[in-house]
Amino acid sequence: MHWGAALAASLVLAPFQAQAHAFGARYDLPLPLGMYLAAAGIAVAVSFLGALLFLRVGRARPLHLDIPIPAKVRRAFSTALGIVGVLGLAVLLGAAFSGPQEAVRNFATVWVWVIWWVGFVLFSALVVCLWPQIDPFRRLAAFSVWGTGRPWTDSAANLPSAFGLLAPAGLLAIAWIELISDWSEDPHAVGLLVTAYLVVALLGGLAFGLQWFRVADPLSRIFEVLGRVAPLSVVSRKALRLRPPGEGLLNRSEPIRGEVALVTGLIGIVLFDGLSETPVWAAVLDFVSDSQSLRPALLWLRAQGADLIQVIRTIGLLATIAGFYGAYLLLILLMRMLAGARLTIGQLARAFVGTLLPIAVAYHLSHYISYLLIAGQLVFPAASDPFGLGWDVFGTQNWSINISVIGARQIWWIGFTALIAGHALSVLVAHRRALQLFKDSRRAALSQIPMTIAMVGLTVLSLWILSQPITK
């Protein structure tokens, strides 16, 4: 994670090596790495065999329990979350523009890149998605619409479906800012970016009402898809739904345009971030720097003022996302051929892309858990004095970072478990989706052979990536 470089620089502790994954010594695996990779791949393959044995057409019924919520409790909780969201946005903007301008001391940068983009994303996928209730952009847009007398839920203007592509475009922009640009380390720049996002959200809400946040708003779309994995869901104004993890991925609602790019992008981004810490990426950089054919272009870019590392990382990010997107479409093509499906490649791609979301969550957890637990401690001093006025609201202004809160051994076993569970859950959910679509156990099983082989390969690859900075 690019922002983590600022944290690493701030610690200046020679005995420790700073990585997005961990701060500390490497973990000496008790068995050869290859045995762990093989065991993980076998575990995912076994989940496919279990699905073949126990899942049949007609048995894959939705499993959930709806818990009624009293109206007063619902309104009070929703109002409280909305107030927290709006006040949090106000504090964040105030800290960005008037607080300390060092990234590791500024509340805005710590909150946006660590607590929210890592911690809240994981909470939304592993527990319950509360972003629609908290979302200050949606709240302020709704208030603006109410103030102007415009419709909110039934806007007169019809939002074109092409606006759904703004969601994956927004995700790519966030990833570029976080992983490649210098803006993520500049509190003032973060404040300007959040302000720009707020302006766009207000204009979109005024023009299209709630449609904007259901179709075009990147953050709403990102949290909505991740929330389908969670075991709890706010399914209506009257109930909280308890369900097995991943059950929400089997809903038959029509996917919104851009969903395939959005989900594959979520995985591709974390894959790139992980690959950039491996010997493979180091070899790419060596090849580029030694290439005589690329030298003229690189010299020209440098003469134009371009940061060559940022250019190379941008190309790497785009190539990783595009490669994963293309690989997914190839799997869908093979699935269609084996199952003899009458559905188009586009229809199948949209139908099965949600089954990849447990993998996205597992990647996010395994790759960023140490970053959250270590860098997340920066929020304690930052929150005590968000505006740099010498306050100590919570008595934590002199909080010291405890880098021993998690070590390489814990990171490895958390990642090992999460990645196997995420891929196995994807295999099971994909098989249930196939039974829904094809209504035939044999065709469903045939359709999932390419997906399962790919899941086994992804499990091995992701574990290898995880192992590079933390094991020996």
Side-chain angles (χ1 to χ4, degrees):
M1 184 171 285
H2 181 66
W3 190 89
L7 173 63
S10 72
L11 292 175
V12 293
L13 295 174
F16 299 95
Q17 178 183 13
Q19 297 281 355
H21 287 289
F23 298 92
R26 289 173 176 254
Y27 175 44
D28 189 4
L29 293 173
L31 297 173
L33 176 62
M35 295 187 68
Y36 289 95
L37 301 184
I42 292 171
V44 174
V46 168
S47 69
F48 173 66
L49 296 178
L52 290 179
L53 291 173
F54 298 107
L55 296 179
R56 293 287 187 273
V57 175
R59 296 185 191 177
R61 293 188 296 272
L63 305 170
H64 61 257
L65 172 66
D66 287 346
I67 305 170
I69 304 175
K72 291 183 179 180
V73 173
R74 182 183 69 248
R75 285 193 297 268
F77 188 64
S78 179
T79 301
L81 289 179
I83 292 173
V84 167
V86 173
L87 289 179
L89 177 62
V91 173
L92 187 150
L93 290 174
F97 293 120
S98 64
Q101 289 304 295
E102 298 91 345
V104 295
R105 295 180 58 230
N106 190 279
F107 177 79
T109 49
V110 174
W111 186 266
V112 168
W113 299 120
V114 186
I115 305 302
W116 178 73
W117 191 236
V118 177
F120 190 71
V121 163
L122 287 174
F123 178 84
S124 299
L126 297 176
V127 184
V128 60
C129 180
L130 297 177
W131 180 247
Q133 290 74 31
I134 295 174
D135 187 358
F137 307 105
R138 184 185 304 211
R139 292 277 182 172
L140 292 173
F143 182 77
S144 300
V145 168
W146 174 79
T148 57
R150 293 170 177 264
W152 173 247
T153 55
D154 299 310
S155 175
N158 186 33
L159 185 66
S161 63
F163 275 65
L165 296 174
L166 289 177
L171 173 65
L172 179 60
I174 293 171
W176 188 86
I177 293 167
E178 177 203 11
L179 300 177
I180 296 170
S181 81
D182 297 327
W183 299 343
S184 61
E185 299 175 13
D186 183 349
H188 192 265
V190 170
L192 290 175
L193 290 167
V194 173
T195 301
Y197 194 96
L198 174 60
V199 171
V200 173
L202 291 175
L203 294 175
L206 286 170
F208 300 106
L210 187 58
Q211 286 186 82
W212 176 264
F213 294 92
R214 288 176 174 169
V215 175
D217 181 63
L219 295 181
S220 297
R221 292 279 304 278
I222 291 168
F223 282 104
E224 191 275 327
V225 296
L226 290 172
R228 298 178 200 167
V229 184
L232 292 172
S233 173
V234 183
V235 292
S236 70
R237 295 184 177 182
K238 298 181 179 180
L240 180 69
R241 177 166 291 177
L242 176 64
R243 62 197 182 185
E247 187 72 19
L249 300 171
L250 296 170
N251 293 340
R252 301 182 186 231
S253 57
E254 184 67 24
I256 301 172
R257 189 166 182 182
E259 187 158 316
V260 174
L262 182 67
V263 175
T264 54
L266 283 168
I267 299 174
I269 288 164
V270 183
L271 274 178
F272 167 76
D273 198 15
L275 283 169
S276 65
E277 297 175 5
T278 68
V280 172
W281 183 251
V284 170
L285 293 179
D286 289 341
F287 169 79
V288 172
S289 62
D290 295 338
S291 173
Q292 295 300 317
S293 60
L294 294 176
R295 186 174 296 275
L298 294 176
L299 291 175
W300 180 85
L301 287 171
R302 187 170 64 182
Q304 305 307 310
D307 185 317
L308 294 184
I309 294 297
Q310 288 189 359
V311 171
I312 295 169
R313 285 180 63 83
T314 299
I315 294 172
L317 174 64
L318 294 174
T320 305
I321 294 173
F324 190 82
Y325 182 87
Y328 174 68
L329 291 183
L330 178 60
L331 284 176
I332 293 299
L333 176 61
L334 294 173
M335 178 190 299
R336 185 171 183 268
M337 292 170 60
L338 287 174
R342 295 181 180 179
L343 298 174
T344 66
I345 292 176
Q347 289 172 325
L348 285 173
R350 289 188 293 272
F352 281 94
V353 73
T355 65
L356 299 177
L357 284 165
I359 300 175
V361 177
Y363 283 11
H364 204 78
L365 174 63
S366 61
H367 193 69
Y368 296 134
I369 183 63
S370 62
Y371 180 72
L372 174 63
L373 294 180
I374 296 173
Q377 296 175 59
L378 292 169
V379 78
F380 298 122
S384 260
D385 186 22
F387 308 122
L389 299 175
W391 296 351
D392 194 5
V393 177
F394 303 108
T396 55
Q397 189 179 40
N398 297 318
W399 184 282
S400 298
I401 301 298
N402 177 15
I403 62 175
S404 64
V405 68
I406 189 170
R409 181 175 182 272
Q410 290 80 23
I411 296 166
W412 168 253
W413 285 110
I414 290 172
F416 184 80
T417 305
L419 289 170
I420 293 176
H423 285 85
L425 180 58
S426 283
V427 168
L428 293 174
V429 173
H431 194 80
R432 292 183 65 189
R433 172 63 87 189
L435 291 173
Q436 284 182 344
L437 285 178
F438 301 125
K439 309 296 185 184
D440 178 87
S441 296
R442 180 178 176 278
R443 292 173 64 200
L446 288 172
S447 74
Q448 292 310 294
I449 292 175
M451 187 72 79
T452 302
I453 294 173
M455 294 295 182
V456 171
L458 269 176
T459 305
V460 172
L461 173 63
S462 57
L463 274 176
W464 178 83
I465 291 173
L466 176 68
S467 72
Q468 296 307 294
I470 63 172
T471 65
K472 61 181 179 180

